Amino acid sequence: MKIKCSYCGSFISDTAEKCPNCGAVNEALVRGAEGVPRTIEELKAFCAKHRLPLEKMRFFIGEDYKAPKAFGIYKDSGGCFVVYKNKADGTRAVRYRGTDEEYAVNEIYQKMRSEILKRKKPNMKSPAPYEAAPRRKRKRNPGTYNILLIVVVSAFVFLYTLLLIIVPGAPRRGYYTYEDSCYYYSNDDWYVYDDGWTPAYSVDSELTDNYEGYYEGGSYSSDYGATDFEDSGYYHEYDRSNDWDSDWDDDDWDVDGDSWDDYDSDWDSDW
C-alpha cells in the first residue's frame, strides 16, 4: 500500500523504512509486538510519529553523541549496537554493547519511557485502592495448623529434591573461579576475565558440568581478581516482556517539549 511521506509528500510503500526521495524515516513503520520498535530505524520512526523532542529530552538515536548529559544508541564500525549514557562530568557509561539490535533498542526505549513517566507521574491515574469486606475471625486449632504446615513443607522439600535429581539445573548467575581464571555466567552465556570481560566461546566441560564446585557468589568481590561484571558492556537484565503499568497507553507518549527539563534526570549515575 502506498502512503504519503510526512516530510516531502512523496508516495512511498508502507513497508519502506525510509523515503527514497528525501531519506526521512517512515513514521507509519513501527513493527513489533504492541507497536514496540525493534530496530534503530523503527525507533526513529516511532519518535517522529509521537513528535518526541529528542534533543530537549537528551536522547540521540542512531548517533554517537559526545557531549555530556545524553542518552543514546548507535551502531559502531564493528557491527555492534551500543547503548550509552554520557554523564554530567562527560564520562560515558555503556549500558549495552553487542549484536542484538532488538535488545539494544528495547533498552533505550524503556529508558525513554521511564524518563517520560517520571515527569508525568504526578498526573498519572492510579487505581482506586481495593477495600476488602471485613470478615469474621475464625478460631484455629494450633495443633491442626502446625500439622498441616509440616505436611506442606515436607511435600515441597520432597518434590524439590526429586526435581533436582530428574531435571539437571543450570548454573546460577554469578562469579566462578576455574584454573586461576574468573568466569561469570548470565543468561545462558559464559564470560571470562582477561584484562577485561569477554565472551567465553569455549568453556571446559569440567566447569560446565561441575559448576557448583567453582561457584563463588552472585555479588562482586575484589578477591576474584577481576573487575565488577556489572560495570562491563555485557551486563544486562534481559526482559523483552515490557511488563509496565497497565495505565500507560499510546497517548502518554505526548510530551510538551517547552516544559521539558533535563535537570530532572540523574546525570551522575551509570543509567
Side-chain angles (χ1 to χ4, degrees), residues 66-221:
K66 301 294 186 181
K69 296 185 177 181
F71 298 100
I73 181 174
Y74 70 97
K75 186 177 182 180
D76 67 15
S77 58
C80 286
F81 297 95
V82 181
V83 180
Y84 63 88
K85 175 184 179 181
N86 295 343
K87 297 192 280 188
D89 61 1
T91 59
R92 171 167 291 187
V94 176
R95 175 71 173 182
Y96 172 76
R97 177 184 285 110
T99 57
D100 191 337
E101 182 175 14
E102 181 182 347
Y103 174 79
V105 169
N106 194 42
E107 282 291 281
I108 198 72
Y109 174 87
Q110 289 193 42
K111 187 60 177 178
M112 188 182 300
R113 181 187 179 279
S114 69
E115 289 292 304
I116 293 175
L117 181 61
K118 183 191 303 181
R119 290 158 178 81
K120 285 179 172 286
K121 196 168 185 180
N123 299 321
M124 294 289 285
K125 294 179 180 180
S126 299
Y130 173 76
E131 296 183 1
R135 64 169 102 180
R136 292 182 303 171
K137 294 183 178 180
R138 294 173 53 190
K139 294 183 178 180
R140 297 173 179 253
N141 185 324
T144 303
Y145 179 81
N146 291 336
I147 293 174
L148 180 61
L149 180 62
I150 293 173
V151 170
V152 171
V153 171
S154 299
F156 176 79
V157 172
F158 173 76
L159 291 175
Y160 180 74
T161 305
L162 184 63
L163 185 63
L164 290 178
I165 296 174
I166 298 175
V167 181
R172 288 178 283 175
R173 174 194 287 257
Y175 297 88
Y176 297 76
T177 54
Y178 174 71
E179 291 192 346
D180 297 325
S181 294
C182 184
Y183 289 80
Y184 191 90
Y185 183 85
S186 174
N187 296 328
D188 299 326
D189 291 317
W190 285 96
Y191 300 86
V192 62
Y193 185 82
D194 184 11
D195 293 329
W197 288 103
T198 58
Y201 297 109
S202 178
V203 181
D204 289 351
S205 58
E206 169 61 24
L207 175 57
T208 58
D209 294 343
N210 304 291
Y211 49 82
E212 284 295 345
Y214 301 100
Y215 182 69
E216 296 290 353
S219 300
Y220 172 72
S221 170

Side-chain angles (χ1 to χ4, degrees), residues 191-253:
Y191 300 86
V192 62
Y193 185 82
D194 184 11
D195 293 329
W197 288 103
T198 58
Y201 297 109
S202 178
V203 181
D204 289 351
S205 58
E206 169 61 24
L207 175 57
T208 58
D209 294 343
N210 304 291
Y211 49 82
E212 284 295 345
Y214 301 100
Y215 182 69
E216 296 290 353
S219 300
Y220 172 72
S221 170
S222 58
D223 295 337
Y224 301 154
T227 59
D228 192 342
F229 184 79
E230 292 189 13
D231 292 335
S232 74
Y234 297 104
Y235 176 79
H236 57 270
E237 292 285 352
Y238 202 171
D239 182 9
R240 281 196 175 101
S241 65
N242 300 324
D243 184 17
W244 297 318
D245 299 338
S246 59
D247 288 345
W248 185 272
D249 57 39
D250 197 58
D251 293 334
D252 289 316
W253 284 102

